[in-house]
């Protein structure tokens, strides 16, 4: 008898139908995880239980394999056009570009931050960055993001806005492709992958951050890359577990591993995707220290995935085995690798002789810590002083926003605002406005906030690991900010976890889309609903686009887009 079985997932997608000629007794296998005891520890059965039928792009039907790569590329192309068009506008440093762009130029010149004279912005905006002073400058953020900005300046020159902002636009564009690939991997659906990429491409908050050289877009990029690497590691680890358990079973006369072998299961060796995640997390921490919370959150997440894998595979001591054979190895694969990567990002500081605090240890000998190289002691002191600065950062700012308001965009940050006079290019009315406001697309952000509640129920009630993974990522980036209520915070910090808000929203769209086993009318109505939402999001982004990209528009048109008084 030929049987086709489909195991729908909880996010509205399903694995590709797998057809095989099987005896009637195998029909139950298509309805769940039931299988014959004699087949339970074969490589194929273990892999099916642990991963499912879709394990890579090669498992898609040949007609869909091209789309697996084409969908992320097309959504990234849309995002790239929005990000690179008029990237040189405004033609001056905006908001905190005054710090990071000038620091990046210092890196190009000397490998560390140097001081600037008064009114240095005027010289920089005029295309004359060479007024840099010889004295070092004290800064409180690590180097990776500034090195990435410096890369664009190296390619296109430090004397023009394209050079300043190229790297930010590139990181934002590539992150769109990443989120589309991750959504396809999570949900097994090309439609939902396309939705994820498109929503991130047209969202205004991500767009503004991609067109402005602040550090947070690079922080987001490395965090998203680390999550994608861990997602690949999840399948890789489970595949290794299936193969090694099957090998033990094949060597046993009973066709299954012995009780002793099932007590803890096999070691899985070095998992290179996890090492890559450690490198990405090290680069994220090397951009902003807030990435440390993602290191902790992602580290626990990957261990929980391994615990679940051993339990599903039939390992009796899955908790102790997961902690010892997976958890310890995961720690060594992520934390030391991230630490070494982070330390390497300070190479320019190490190679200098007069960077800030570079000679601190020489002038401050210490009998207890004298065994450490002076360079490490100096760097440790630098970090201690920077930590004190962050802890005491509580000065008032007109655009500070409590973390409670982020998901509803209660107080977005104004990066740029000018009032061109009538007769200037683009202004044909008495009062005009040119502005950059880091407000997101309301339909996307408010929909994502509602979707987080849905994910909580699906994770708690259905034990869907994908809902848990997205919630863990959002929580790692969002919840720690509530620990510092007195600290000055800004809405644009939320870009670090915005891709995971998009994934939460897409999860909800998957529920609207329905399962492949649903009746045709249900699937069709679900598809119409998803398409209607996406069209609405695109049209709303077109409406807000002028205040994201500093277009000159009549003042009344600008006010028409200020949906909340707190946006002004």
């Amino acid at each position: 008898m030929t049987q086709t079985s489909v195991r729908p997932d909880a996010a509205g997608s399903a694995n590709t139908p797998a057809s095989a000629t099987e005896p009637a007794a195998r029909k139950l296998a298509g309805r769940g995880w039931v299988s014959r005891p004699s087949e339970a520890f074969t490589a194929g059965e273990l892999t099916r239980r642990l991963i499912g039928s879709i394990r890579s792009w090669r498992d898609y039907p040949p007609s869909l394999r091209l789309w697996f790569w084409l969908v992320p590329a097309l959504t990234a192309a849309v995002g790239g056009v929005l990000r690179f068009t008029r990237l040189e506008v405004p033609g001056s440093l905006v908001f905190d570009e005054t710090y990071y762009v000038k620091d990046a130029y210092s890196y190009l010149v000397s490998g560390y931050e140097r001081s600037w004279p008064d009114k240095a912005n005027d010289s920089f905006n005029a295309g004359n960055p060479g007024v840099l002073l010889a004295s070092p400058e004290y800064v409180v953020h690590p180097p990776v993001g500034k090195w990435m900005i410096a890369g664009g300046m190296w390619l296109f020159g430090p004397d023009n806005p394209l050079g300043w902002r190229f790297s930010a636009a590139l990181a934002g564009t590539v992150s769109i492709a990443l989120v589309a690939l991750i959504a396809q991997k999570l949900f097994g659906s090309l439609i939902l992958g396309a939705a994820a990429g498109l929503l991130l491409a047209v969202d205004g908050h991500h767009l503004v951050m991609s067109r402005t050289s602040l550090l947070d877009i690079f922080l987001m990029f490395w965090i998203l890359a680390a999550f994608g690497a861990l997602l690949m590691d999840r399948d890789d680890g489970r595949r290794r577990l299936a193969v090694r358990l099957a090998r033990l079973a094949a060597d046993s006369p009973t066709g299954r591993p012995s009780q002793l072998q099932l007590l803890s299961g096999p070691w899985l060796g070095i998992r290179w995707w996890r090492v890559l995640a450690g490198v990405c997390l090290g680069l994220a921490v090397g951009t902003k220290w807030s990435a440390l919370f993602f290191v902790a959150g992602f580290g626990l997440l990957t261990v929980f995935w391994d615990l679940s894998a051993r339990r599903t595979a039939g390992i009796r001591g899955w908790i102790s085995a997961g902690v010892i054979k997976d958890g310890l190895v995961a720690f060594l694969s992520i934390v030391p690798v991230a630490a070494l990567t982070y330390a390497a990002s300070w190479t320019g500081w190490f190679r200098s002789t007069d960077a800030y605090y570079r000679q601190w240890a020489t002038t401050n000998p210490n009998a207890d810590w004298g065994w450490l190289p002076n360079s490490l002691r100096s760097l440790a002191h630098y970090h201690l002083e920077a930590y004190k600065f962050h802890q005491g950062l509580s000065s008032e700012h007109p655009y500070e926003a409590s973390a409670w308001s982020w998901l509803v965009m209660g107080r977005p940050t104004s990066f740029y605002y000018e009032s061109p006079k009538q007769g200037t290019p683009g202004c044909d009315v008495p009062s005009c406005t040119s502005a950059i406001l880091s407000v997101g697309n309301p339909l996307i952000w408010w929909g994502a906030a509602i979707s987080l509640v849905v994910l909580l129920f699906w994770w708690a009630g259905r034990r869907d690991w994908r809902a848990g993974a997205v919630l863990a990522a959002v929580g790692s980036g969002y919840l720690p900010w509530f620990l510092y209520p007195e600290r000055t915070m800004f809405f644009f910090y939320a870009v670090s976890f915005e891709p995971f808000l998009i994934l939460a929203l897409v999860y909800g769209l998957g529920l609207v889309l329905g399962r492949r086993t649903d009746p045709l009318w249900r699937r069709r109505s679900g598809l119409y609903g998803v398409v209607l939402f996406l069209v609405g999001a695109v049209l709303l982004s077109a409406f807000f686009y002028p205040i994201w990209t500093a277009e000159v528009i009549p003042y009344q048109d600008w006010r028409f887009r200020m949906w909340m008084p707190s946006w002004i």
Side-chain angles (χ1 to χ4, degrees):
M1 179 184 297
T2 301
Q3 173 188 307
T4 301
S5 64
V6 178
R7 184 177 65 85
D9 59 40
S13 61
N15 288 332
T16 302
S19 300
T21 302
E22 304 170 350
R26 285 282 288 161
K27 283 187 178 182
L28 288 175
R31 301 174 185 171
W33 300 128
V34 181
S35 59
R36 283 188 173 186
S38 60
E39 299 173 349
F41 288 94
T42 61
E45 187 61 34
L46 281 167
T47 303
R48 188 182 70 84
R49 288 211 309 270
L50 292 169
I51 303 177
S53 60
I54 294 182
R55 296 180 287 277
S56 75
W57 65 275
R58 296 180 181 86
D59 296 316
Y60 281 90
S63 59
L64 296 180
R65 289 176 189 172
L66 175 62
W67 288 101
F68 183 91
W69 299 107
L70 198 55
V71 163
L74 290 175
T75 56
V78 171
V81 170
L82 296 176
R83 281 150 183 78
F84 283 98
T85 300
R86 298 177 63 251
L87 185 59
E88 71 282 0
V89 178
S92 60
L93 298 170
V94 300
F95 198 56
D96 281 355
E97 281 186 339
T98 185
Y99 304 115
Y100 307 126
V101 171
K102 290 189 295 187
D103 286 345
Y105 178 74
S106 296
Y107 277 43
L108 281 178
V109 173
S110 56
Y112 62 92
E113 297 89 347
R114 283 161 53 179
S115 299
W116 294 84
D118 293 337
K119 298 183 179 180
N121 280 10
D122 294 337
S123 297
F124 214 96
N125 294 336
N128 179 29
V131 296
L132 183 66
L133 301 178
S135 56
E137 178 73 12
Y138 175 61
V139 298
V140 294
H141 289 301
V144 170
K146 288 169 280 189
W147 275 118
M148 294 180 74
I149 297 172
M153 298 170 77
W154 178 75
L155 286 172
F156 298 100
D159 57 350
N160 65 90
L162 176 62
W164 308 341
R165 299 171 185 146
F166 174 82
S167 295
L170 181 62
T173 301
V174 175
S175 67
I176 295 168
L178 283 178
V179 84
L181 286 168
I182 288 171
Q184 289 178 174
K185 184 71 174 175
L186 274 176
F187 308 129
S189 168
L190 293 174
I191 294 176
L192 297 183
L198 180 63
L199 290 172
L200 191 63
V202 302
D203 178 65
H205 185 240
H206 190 271
L207 175 67
V208 169
M209 299 306 295
S210 300
R211 293 174 58 92
T212 314
S213 278
L214 273 62
L215 301 181
D216 300 79
I217 193 70
F218 306 111
L219 172 66
M220 177 278 308
F221 175 81
W222 292 117
I223 288 169
L224 184 62
F227 183 83
L230 289 177
L231 200 59
M232 296 296 293
D233 171 74
R234 183 182 184 273
D235 278 7
D236 179 59
R238 289 174 173 237
R239 191 178 296 109
R240 293 189 189 198
L241 181 61
V243 170
R244 297 187 185 196
L245 274 178
R247 192 178 300 152
L248 293 175
D251 294 337
S252 171
T254 62
R256 54 186 293 130
S258 66
Q259 294 296 320
L260 181 61
Q261 291 169 334
L262 285 178
L263 184 62
S264 64
W267 292 90
L268 302 183
I270 300 175
R271 290 157 62 171
W272 296 107
W273 282 110
R274 191 175 268 169
V275 173
L276 177 61
V279 173
C280 292
L281 288 171
L283 292 169
V285 177
T287 302
K288 269 194 166 183
W289 287 356
S290 55
L292 285 168
F293 295 108
F294 285 97
V295 176
F298 285 2
L300 291 174
L301 179 64
T302 188
V303 173
F304 287 146
W305 283 347
D306 285 343
L307 290 173
S308 174
R310 289 185 181 266
R311 181 173 180 269
T312 302
I315 305 300
R316 300 182 185 279
W318 55 275
I319 296 179
S320 58
V323 170
I324 296 172
K325 292 190 172 182
D326 295 320
L328 293 179
V329 177
F331 178 87
L332 294 174
S333 300
I334 294 176
V335 175
V337 170
L340 290 173
T341 303
Y342 177 81
S345 71
W346 286 84
T347 299
W349 185 90
F350 280 117
R351 294 185 62 185
S352 71
T353 57
D354 56 349
Y356 211 88
Y357 283 136
R358 181 62 180 84
Q359 302 300 330
W360 179 87
T362 303
T363 57
N364 293 271
N366 187 296
D368 295 329
W369 296 98
W371 56 275
L372 279 175
N374 283 345
S375 58
L376 292 181
R377 285 185 55 227
S378 296
L379 186 62
H381 178 74
Y382 196 135
H383 280 63
L384 178 62
E385 293 300 314
Y387 176 76
K388 292 177 181 178
F389 172 87
H390 286 297
Q391 289 295 97
L393 187 61
S394 58
S395 58
E396 293 186 1
H397 192 283
Y399 285 97
E400 63 181 307
S402 168
W404 291 104
S405 69
W406 290 359
L407 293 183
V408 295
M409 301 185 297
R411 184 59 169 164
T413 311
S414 175
F415 283 14
Y416 175 81
Y417 183 92
E418 285 194 355
S419 301
K421 296 181 179 180
Q422 186 175 14
T424 59
C427 183
D428 300 323
V429 296
S431 181
C432 293
T433 292
S434 176
I436 299 176
L437 184 69
S438 69
V439 65
N441 182 311
L443 188 60
I444 294 175
W445 276 78
W446 296 342
I450 296 171
S451 297
L452 288 176
V453 179
V454 174
L455 260 69
L456 279 171
F457 281 101
W458 246 254
W459 173 64
R462 301 290 185 91
R463 296 295 189 270
D464 190 337
W465 69 271
R466 291 161 298 183
V470 174
L471 289 171
V474 173
S476 297
Y478 186 35
L479 296 181
W481 291 105
F482 292 96
L483 301 175
Y484 309 99
E486 302 300 324
R487 191 186 189 281
T488 304
M489 292 177 278
F490 299 93
F491 168 63
F492 66 82
Y493 292 174
V495 76
S496 67
F497 58 87
E498 181 177 351
F500 306 104
L501 293 177
I502 297 294
L503 292 174
L505 177 57
V506 169
Y507 189 106
L509 293 178
L511 297 178
V512 174
L513 186 62
R515 301 179 177 184
R516 292 182 181 177
T517 53
D518 288 339
L520 180 60
W521 67 267
R522 169 67 182 83
R523 290 286 292 177
R524 184 173 294 168
S525 60
L527 180 61
Y528 290 159
V530 171
V531 171
L532 182 64
F533 182 91
L534 295 177
V535 171
V538 171
L539 293 177
L540 194 56
S541 289
F543 173 74
F544 279 102
Y545 187 76
I547 66 169
W548 294 336
T549 59
E551 288 189 4
V552 177
I553 58 175
Y555 175 77
Q556 290 303 321
D557 289 354
W558 173 80
R559 284 300 302 262
F560 190 51
R561 290 164 172 80
M562 298 296 105
W563 285 9
M564 295 185 184
S566 60
W567 289 9
I568 299 176

